[in-house]
Amino acid sequence: VRLVESGGGLVQPGGSLRLSCAASGFTFSNYGMSWYRQAPGKEHELVATIPSGGGNIDYGDSVTGRFTISRDSAKNTVYLQMNSLKPEDTAVYYCKVGNFWGKGTLVTVSS
């Protein structure tokens, strides 16, 4: 299993970013996918999860209404659209499937 995140960077408060996670080594369409994040000095936090069929999406309370998770089975990729970003969204964002994690991509929200 290989998960490669991309799309992180520095953005001003109120801005937007779209993260991507390219997956390989398993049958992507059969598995739910998740995004987690870890801010400095804090535990991993669930950001969003999308089932294999794309329905019943769940979001963490702190991102509901601002972030959108989606998946493209033709590209074996899961996305995280992040809008109205806040400084407290600063973290390393990880893609996860089962017990497998990507290496993460850093998102910094700062003016």
Side-chain angles (χ1 to χ4, degrees):
V1 172
R2 187 167 185 239
L3 303 170
V4 180
E5 301 94 337
S6 61
L10 174 64
V11 62
Q12 292 188 342
S16 298
L17 281 175
R18 189 176 83 152
L19 305 183
S20 299
C21 171
S24 60
F26 64 102
T27 305
F28 180 79
S29 59
N30 288 353
Y31 290 86
M33 301 292 297
S34 298
W35 284 97
Y36 281 76
R37 68 185 183 186
Q38 186 174 30
K42 294 189 176 181
E43 299 290 326
H44 281 96
E45 174 190 8
L46 175 66
V47 176
T49 188
I50 184 168
S52 58
N56 293 326
I57 293 172
D58 287 326
Y59 294 96
D61 289 342
S62 59
V63 307
T64 297
R66 299 187 297 123
F67 291 11
T68 303
I69 189 172
S70 62
R71 62 189 297 158
D72 185 339
S73 291
K75 296 182 178 179
N76 284 3
T77 300
V78 61
Y79 303 97
L80 185 69
Q81 178 66 43
M82 306 186 296
N83 299 329
S84 303
L85 283 161
K86 305 174 181 180
E88 51 264 42
D89 294 318
T90 295
V92 178
Y93 285 71
Y94 298 91
C95 183
K96 181 177 181 286
V97 61
N99 293 324
F100 296 93
W101 296 77
K103 293 185 177 180
T105 185
L106 176 62
V107 172
T108 303
V109 184
S110 175
S111 55

